[in-house]
Amino acid sequence: MKQKGKKGNFMEKVAEFIVDKRNLFFLIYIFATIFCFFSMNWTKVENDVTKYLSEETETRQGLETMNANFVTTADARIMVSNITYEDAKVLYDQISEVNGISMITFNNTEEHYKDANALYEITFGAGPLEASSMKALDKIKEILKDYDTAYDTAVGYDENAELQNQMGMILVVAVIIIIFALVLTSTAYMEVPVLLLTFGMAALLNMGTNFILGKISFISDSIAVVLQLALAIDYAIILAHRYSAEHEIMPTREAAITALAKAIPEIAASSLTTISGLAALGFMEFGIGLDMAIVLIKSILLSLLSVFTLMPGLLVLFTPLIDRTKHKKLIPNVSIIGRFAVKTRKIIPPVFLIAIIGAFFLSNACPFCYSYTDLVTSNMSEKQEAYQKIKGVFGTSNMVAVMVPTGNYEAEAEILAKLEECDEVKSTMGLANTELMDGYTITEAVTPREFSEMIGLDYEVTEMLYSAYVMADGQYGQLLNLETLEIPLFDMFCSLKDTIDESGIVLEGEMAEMVEMLDMLDMAKEQLQTEEYSRMVVYLTLPEEGEETYAFLDKIHEIADKYYTEPVYVIGNSSSSRDLSASFAKDNLIITILSIVFVIAVLLFTFQSAGLPVLLIIVIQGSIWINFAVPTITETPLYFLGYLTVNAIQMGSNIDYAIVISSHYREQKKKLPPIEAIVVAINNAFPTIITSGTILASSGFLLTIISTQPVISILGGCIGRGTVISMVLVLFVLPGILVLGDKIIERTSFEMKGIDIGEREETGTMLVKGHVRGYVSGVIDAEVDGVLHGRVHAAIATGGIVDVKEEDPDAVEKAKEMIYKDIPEQNLEGGDDDEE
């Protein structure tokens, strides 16, 4: 045996630097903590998912145009139950007097009074978070304080603040569950604070750097911390276990360096599948996929950074406490699961294949929805409960806005008239069909004589107003035909209001009523007309989603497009749903294919087998199909984004469970028959799977139980259910598949040229060639070239280990031939500059 002087590899040098400079890293993280406490408040959150639609979609273009041209005001639907119509009318009169309300609708029809329930539809004069709107709502609540009421309104409702409060509660409960799971898998109680400090820092870094992205979605902002803890906690557990094993035979510093050097490539490889699955989200046409991919991948990378640069120092710092708080293994032996899997290996895998074929068709029939307005969550806010209560009595109202270039009142009137003739339309509203007085609509054109008679104004004064209007418009030729000149009432009234405001005229008596009318017209102008666009509101009898609804949106376009050459926009929840459904099919295909391709690529190089990755993918993809067959079976609508996101997350993270069992199985198979190897593999992998799976599943279920936001709640439910299904399949189905497919795995295996630094454990007589670091009836770190009889648990570089049959006299020569055949010639010459 030839002994060489120790020469650390790159990973060891990196690990040595991190451990020895731990105080410097502590200082850096202290400064980072202070910075992140401030910077986490700089992040802007986008609550509107339609902002992530492609710029080519009508909804995106229409919303941007509408927001740029029209003032958005708050509204409310308020239901008063157990009341007579006469009393409801009295309340209507009282509410109408409240300042801050621009419009209130209530009448004796089933749309507003039904089964002793009164429904008031109110439009406020300002936005939902404006002081005047909130003050008006408070006044309404004071009027209705003695009645059974339901308020469906966004006034005073800060969804983002509510989400943050709920996520704080979820995080607290999640941490309690994580602590419990970590105690079970740890070797010492004081390992748990190290793990929590590491991931607390990682979570803070992620939240504190989100501002760099400019603006992130409320979904990414809400779920990132919980999923970061759930997806990346394994990395810290791996390092903790490595350190625990090394510290049994090494001093604290050396154990930390060795553990980190070994853990860096292992943890980095483990993270690749999760990152690959999340990366698939970034290729979605729907922009929120890229938003989530960036935030979540950043969270994984920052978790790796914390584990690699902060945790080693913490382990060294906490070692005295860790040594004093060691405890027995708390997770029991589960060989019974392995034996069950072996005995049923010819039954369960075939049944599983049949089940996933059925699940495939059921998941494809999943009742997807693209608007979460009507979704019911486990925990509902007061606003959601009010919406459901009102919906139960009066139903819902599907509203779409039709935006056309302004100025052609006749076209607007004809469009509204044609739409009202359609059975799919309940009612319409626009300037062109709003009745003003004496049978005149607000956009109807009238002569000076007709205008004078309508409002009771002297004809001479009216002529002066018409003349002023014509001259302001620069149409001086019209002055010659003033008596027959027709000007739309709306334009005339707007001109009159401007004249009154500029001149400071005070109208009294009957004319004072005109001031109120002019104020109402001014508010109508803000809502229904700008210099560039007119907006018409159409209430449909159709549901928000469905082919019939989408077809009618096209019909609205056909009607409106006949009158305009410029773009006409039809926008609302229905148009948004149509655009989202159009991108869903493409995004679903992209995510499914890319997540599988990315993960297979990682597994291919990890296991050096073409067959094994396919078997693992079948199991995890099967768990995904089973997961999304559940909504079909229960006939529960599933928000499409939950499917797309969980599809990628489940493939990227749950595949790790299959990898853990497969890795242990391949290791044990070197010294045991496949049937025995799989039993040992399951027993060894169970602590990792049960810990990681419990944390991820619990985090998902917490989201669905506590969050009132439908998207977050549905995402959590899908993640939790999918993780449980994956755990069950890898523990009870995958073992049988691995044993049955053992020949496929072996026949499709290949060797990658280069250095084999995998850790080996062998017992008996063997030929060893290469640099050995580990245990050979003691600790060894040397170049070895010879036959060894005993036990080896070490990393072997360059050559490897070949078992020798002692009864075969030519065994050693055969073994040498096998082990030397792939070693470069220069390595066979022996010796280098470090040889002693």
Side-chain angles (χ1 to χ4, degrees), residues 254-297:
E254 286 71 19
I257 293 172
T258 303
L260 181 59
K262 291 180 179 180
I264 288 176
E266 183 180 352
I267 293 171
S270 175
S271 68
L272 282 178
T273 53
T274 302
I275 292 174
S276 297
L278 294 173
L281 289 172
F283 292 86
M284 287 171 55
E285 182 179 317
F286 188 30
I288 206 165
L290 180 61
D291 176 83
M292 294 178 65
I294 293 174
V295 174
L296 292 176
I297 290 175

Side-chain angles (χ1 to χ4, degrees), residues 437-438 448-459 461-462 493 508 510-511 514 517:
M437 60 176 66
D438 299 331
R449 179 70 62 185
E450 291 170 329
F451 187 75
S452 172
E453 293 174 352
M454 180 191 304
I455 64 173
L457 193 65
D458 289 342
Y459 180 70
V461 176
T462 304
F493 276 120
E508 298 178 351
E510 294 181 1
M511 294 300 294
M514 187 183 298
M517 183 175 65

